[in-house]
Amino acid sequence: MAAAVVGEALAGAKKRGASRSWILFDAAGEERLLDADKYAIMHRVDINARDLRILDPLLSYPSTILGRERAIVLNLEHIKAIITAEEVLLRDPLDDIVIPVVEQLRRRLAPLSATQNDVEGAEEDESPFEFRALEVTLEAICSFLDARTTELESAAYPALDELTSKISSRNLDRVRKLKSGMTRLNARVQKVRDELEQLLDDDDDMADLYLSRKLAGAASPVSGSGGPNWFPASPTIGSKISRASRASAATIHGNENDVEELEMLLEAYFMQIDGTLNKLTTLREYIDDTEDYINIQLDNHRNQLIQLELFLSSGTVCLSLYSLVAGIFGMNIPYTWNDDHGYVFKWVVLVSGLFCAFMFVSIVAYARHKGLVGS
């Protein structure tokens, strides 16, 4: 029922052209649409303006996962969210590319059904709420980038094969656009991978993401004595503290630096995004190989043109000598030996032609001997 109400609210907001809205999911399975300003959001999740600025869609910030005292600030491409120990705020839920993330959060963060076994419930409780929300966002961005990579592969490989078979301006322009798209996508995937790698390399940063552990550690010393109300706007704080206390019993006994659970989660999606990056690397290598092949073909054609030019130039030189002889005998100058010697004409023509042909063959043979033309 709540999902249907929120869906109607989203549809109405979309018709009104509402922007910069948020959708909230809490640990109790409730969801509602928020149209709050930045000050209300900052007060609700206790983050500063600099952290909230990272989520501004009008500004260009790299992919970032920040752990704060009471929240995780997450900026992964189009997924801009704030995760606390008991609720998730997702920005711009009306965008078409964000709607699948909303559906996944609605499905994955739903509370356990009363008909489920206690064992399943216990297993579910072992995973803190913030990790389940973080897992949804990481899975969404990894799947999104992998889908974009698959689309690029399906368009690039046939275009590259067509270019190798026929070099034309149309095919070259098509490959150029695909290569530009691949470069941009590779940079986006690399940023997400670098952020995950940076988190995995720093145990302190991973420990900052254990919001339920910090909440349980803060609530445990004052349990039963009226501790401070960390989340006054949320109706599920009591149950959440109880679950966090049970899940973080080891923390209270001195294992606050244990980040194995989060490390396994991040490693799984690091491997997935690394696989996507490997696909793009393979595609880049294929493009580079195609470019090398095209350059070899063009060089071969250029060499053939140079050989043709050499043959034509050699023929022109030989014919110019033949023309020189014709010019000499064609001058209007009286010669005594020119009278009554008409038979000499055919010998001059024959000898001049043979000499020019011999000269042409000699030039070509010399060029072949020196390797200037192909055999």
Side-chain angles (χ1 to χ4, degrees):
M1 181 64 69
V5 173
V6 173
E8 294 177 358
L10 287 173
K14 193 169 185 178
K15 291 180 180 179
R16 295 191 304 270
S19 61
R20 299 187 181 181
S21 59
W22 300 76
I23 188 171
L24 181 145
F25 297 88
D26 60 24
E30 298 293 331
E31 59 179 280
R32 59 184 179 275
L33 191 65
L34 298 179
D35 194 7
D37 58 18
K38 61 180 181 180
Y39 299 104
I41 298 296
M42 290 164 53
H43 177 73
R44 183 182 187 89
V45 298
D46 193 21
I47 61 175
N48 55 43
R50 182 178 57 184
D51 293 335
L52 188 61
R53 195 178 300 117
I54 296 175
L55 306 181
D56 193 337
L58 301 179
L59 302 177
S60 178
Y61 280 93
S63 296
T64 306
I65 301 176
L66 298 177
R68 295 296 182 251
E69 183 63 28
R70 290 172 49 193
I72 299 173
V73 181
L74 187 142
N75 176 31
L76 295 176
E77 295 288 325
H78 57 280
I79 302 177
K80 304 177 184 299
I82 302 174
I83 303 174
T84 69
E86 62 169 12
E87 62 186 18
V88 181
L89 285 86
L90 182 65
R91 187 158 199 169
D92 297 332
L94 307 179
D95 289 350
D96 293 336
I97 56 177
V98 181
I99 290 177
V101 185
V102 175
E103 296 296 331
Q104 285 295 320
L105 287 170
R106 180 178 295 138
R107 184 176 62 86
R108 301 277 290 276
L109 299 183
L112 292 174
S113 174
T115 60
Q116 289 182 299
N117 295 328
D118 293 338
V119 176
E120 295 178 353
E123 291 177 354
E124 184 69 22
D125 282 343
E126 289 179 1
S127 180
F129 174 82
E130 65 269 20
F131 288 177
R132 289 190 286 137
L134 180 62
E135 182 179 8
V136 172
T137 56
L138 290 176
E139 181 179 349
I141 191 60
C142 290
S143 300
F144 175 80
L145 293 176
D146 187 68
R148 300 290 82 75
T149 302
T150 302
E151 291 177 1
L152 183 62
E153 286 179 326
S154 62
Y157 284 116
L160 292 170
D161 293 337
E162 184 177 354
L163 179 62
T164 55
S165 61
K166 181 181 179 181
I167 302 176
S168 63
S169 300
R170 174 179 172 274
N171 291 336
L172 285 172
D173 185 66
R174 182 183 177 190
V175 171
R176 179 189 63 82
K177 293 179 181 178
L178 289 172
K179 185 177 181 180
S180 299
M182 185 210 65
T183 301
R184 292 191 297 269
L185 181 59
N186 186 84
R188 295 163 61 188
V189 174
Q190 185 68 50
K191 289 177 181 178
V192 176
R193 181 188 180 278
D194 290 344
E195 182 62 25
L196 293 178
E197 185 178 20
Q198 182 179 354
L199 274 177
L200 288 170
D201 290 341
D202 195 329
D203 289 351
D204 292 336
D205 287 345
M206 286 192 288
D208 288 338
L209 303 185
Y210 278 80
L211 304 180
S212 296
R213 172 186 291 176
K214 291 187 287 187
L215 179 63
S220 179
V222 294
S223 60
S225 59
N229 187 2
W230 291 103
F231 297 94
S234 175
T236 61
I237 184 63
S239 59
K240 185 60 186 178
I241 290 179
S242 177
R243 287 201 305 271
S245 300
R246 294 196 305 269
S248 306
T251 300
I252 299 174
H253 288 87
N255 293 331
E256 64 275 0
N257 293 325
D258 182 16
V259 293
E260 182 179 359
E261 180 181 1
L262 179 59
E263 186 175 11
M264 293 176 61
L265 174 65
L266 294 178
E267 282 181 351
Y269 290 102
F270 176 80
M271 294 176 62
Q272 183 175 348
I273 201 71
D274 194 54
T276 301
L277 188 61
N278 289 337
K279 291 181 181 179
L280 291 173
T281 302
T282 302
L283 179 58
R284 177 184 292 275
E285 293 175 353
Y286 194 84
I287 292 177
D288 292 340
D289 292 341
T290 303
E291 289 180 346
D292 293 340
Y293 178 76
I294 296 301
N295 290 331
I296 291 173
Q297 280 190 324
L298 294 177
D299 290 341
N300 183 48
H301 293 161
R302 193 178 300 112
N303 292 336
Q304 291 177 352
L305 291 175
I306 293 174
Q307 293 180 21
L308 178 61
E309 183 181 4
L310 176 62
F311 292 146
L312 293 177
S313 299
S314 301
T316 302
V317 171
C318 296
L319 289 176
S320 64
L321 293 176
Y322 194 84
S323 300
L324 176 63
V325 175
I328 292 174
F329 283 93
M331 289 188 292
N332 192 16
I333 299 176
Y335 295 100
T336 56
W337 51 267
N338 197 26
D339 299 332
D340 300 328
H341 294 85
Y343 65 91
V344 177
F345 174 77
K346 62 180 180 182
W347 288 107
V348 172
V349 173
L350 181 61
V351 172
S352 300
L354 291 175
F355 178 77
C356 291
F358 175 76
M359 187 176 178
F360 177 77
V361 172
S362 299
I363 294 175
V364 173
Y366 178 78
R368 291 183 184 276
H369 176 68
K370 292 296 184 179
L372 300 178
V373 296
S375 57

